Amino acid sequence: MHMQNYSLVSEFVLHGLCTSRHLQNFFFIFFFGIYVAIMLGNLLILVTVISDPRLHSSPMYFLLGNLSFLDMWLASFATPKMIRDFLSDRKLISFGGCMAQIFFLHFTGGAEMVLLVSMAYDRCVAICKPLHYMTLMSWQTCIKLVLASWVIGFVHSISQVAFTANLPYCGPSEVDSFFCDLPLVIKLACMDTYVLGIIMISDSGLLSLSCFLLLLISYTVILLTVRQCAAGSTSKALSTCSAHIMVVTLFFGPCIFIYVWPFSRFSVDKLLSVFYTIFTPLLNPIIYTLRNEEMKAAMKKLQNRLATFQ
């Protein structure tokens, strides 16, 4: 196989979510509103946590603020282009732009997975070891957990992009999605990438599955501990953990599905991609704030503080 005979692909064609012009006009308005809500909702959480000293010094809210920051990035790696493409007849993305989408998806996605495990660990320590909570979840520990999530996300992402960018692409160059998804881009290479694809996608699947199992273990330990201590507290523990479990299910479910069956094409794949790249960042601020009295109280204080400056 002579690599010099291949013409390099300089851009890819994205199929988008649908081909109907009427649906695309509707989706433009719908997803534009969703994206604005994502950015404002997560920015509100971030500003609230930073402006309130009590929340900023709390490990749980410090991690929550970082989750909101990652959610803004996760929602921004492909959504703005998808919204713009709804008004375009030909949805093109450069080769560099495609690789950038893969990088930021796996960087923010991988970091968020590890951060969700850190948040589960925080709740596990708070409920199972309340007397040692501030020792085990010190400020240094919180910084290390956040840095670990970013480092793992970066290493995971750069390993994916390094292999993908160096594959030979000579056409076809059509990606059946609204962004450059790793399993779809790999299949466009002008060589047999089955084994390489299995290795690369197993990396994502292993990260998703291992983080998901750690989360299940953490919440199981929490519920078992509460049940042993006081039967009447079980409902309170379920209420405390239900928000986290809901976010975990919405985020990890589609990821695991896509990377366990990466080479089979289901029409539902686009819907799953929309869920974990758009709807999860939207639901996170709703789930974590509407059911949290401390966060709502801090937001009211922030609102009153801003009103005094007007």
Side-chain angles (χ1 to χ4, degrees), residues 12-245:
F12 293 94
V13 180
L14 302 175
H15 285 184
L17 285 180
C18 64
T19 57
S20 169
R21 172 50 57 189
H22 295 295
L23 273 178
Q24 289 190 60
N25 291 334
F26 168 76
F27 282 152
F28 172 80
I29 299 172
F30 177 74
F31 284 108
F32 180 79
I34 293 291
Y35 181 69
V36 171
I38 290 171
M39 300 307 288
L40 291 179
N42 284 289
L43 185 61
L44 177 61
I45 290 179
L46 195 57
V47 171
T48 302
V49 171
I50 293 174
S51 62
D52 192 306
R54 189 169 56 87
L55 294 185
H56 187 65
S57 60
S58 169
M60 182 178 74
Y61 293 107
F62 174 74
L63 296 175
L64 177 59
N66 281 274
L67 178 67
S68 293
F69 181 73
L70 286 174
D71 275 337
M72 287 192 289
W73 278 96
L74 181 62
S76 298
F77 85 95
T79 307
K81 174 165 176 52
M82 179 189 71
I83 294 171
R84 187 185 65 187
D85 284 345
F86 284 134
L87 303 178
S88 304
D89 294 327
R90 194 162 167 80
K91 303 167 178 55
L92 301 176
I93 184 171
S94 66
F95 183 85
C98 185
M99 295 302 110
Q101 284 193 342
I102 293 175
F103 173 80
F104 284 111
L105 169 62
H106 288 269
F107 181 27
T108 56
E112 185 159 329
M113 288 179 188
V114 179
L115 188 62
L116 287 170
V117 174
S118 300
M119 295 176 71
Y121 172 73
D122 169 73
R123 291 299 84 205
C124 188
V125 173
I127 294 174
C128 301
K129 300 284 186 182
L131 298 178
H132 304 283
Y133 177 68
M134 294 312 298
T135 302
L136 295 174
M137 290 300 298
S138 63
W139 182 252
Q140 290 81 4
T141 301
C142 292
I143 295 294
K144 289 177 183 178
L145 290 174
V146 171
L147 287 177
S149 68
W150 283 78
V151 170
I152 292 174
F154 179 80
V155 172
H156 164 67
S157 180
I158 205 69
S159 65
Q160 304 289 302
V161 174
F163 283 109
T164 308
N166 288 313
L167 292 174
Y169 298 95
C170 58
S173 58
E174 297 186 0
V175 180
D176 187 19
S177 185
F178 61 93
F179 68 95
C180 287
D181 201 3
L182 181 64
L184 301 178
V185 174
I186 288 176
K187 293 171 67 175
L188 300 178
C190 301
M191 60 177 289
D192 184 6
T193 59
Y194 183 80
V195 176
L196 180 62
I198 288 292
I199 295 173
M200 293 172 63
I201 293 170
S202 295
D203 183 14
S204 298
L206 181 62
L207 179 62
S208 303
L209 197 57
S210 58
C211 287
F212 186 68
L213 290 176
L214 287 173
L215 287 163
L216 286 180
I217 293 171
S218 298
Y219 292 123
T220 300
V221 170
I222 290 173
L223 296 179
L224 290 177
T225 302
V226 172
R227 186 177 180 181
Q228 291 175 357
C229 294
S233 307
T234 307
S235 59
K236 184 178 179 180
L238 285 172
S239 178
T240 303
C241 299
S242 60
H244 291 242
I245 294 173

Side-chain angles (χ1 to χ4, degrees), residues 244-264:
H244 291 242
I245 294 173
M246 196 180 305
V247 169
V248 166
T249 303
L250 290 173
F251 185 81
F252 280 90
C255 291
I256 293 175
F257 185 90
I258 288 173
Y259 288 105
V260 167
W261 294 281
F263 295 106
S264 56

Side-chain angles (χ1 to χ4, degrees), residues 285-301:
I286 297 174
I287 292 172
Y288 282 117
T289 56
L290 292 182
R291 305 186 59 178
N292 191 307
E293 295 300 327
E294 287 183 297
M295 181 63 72
K296 287 191 287 187
M299 287 181 177
K300 287 182 180 178
K301 287 172 59 179

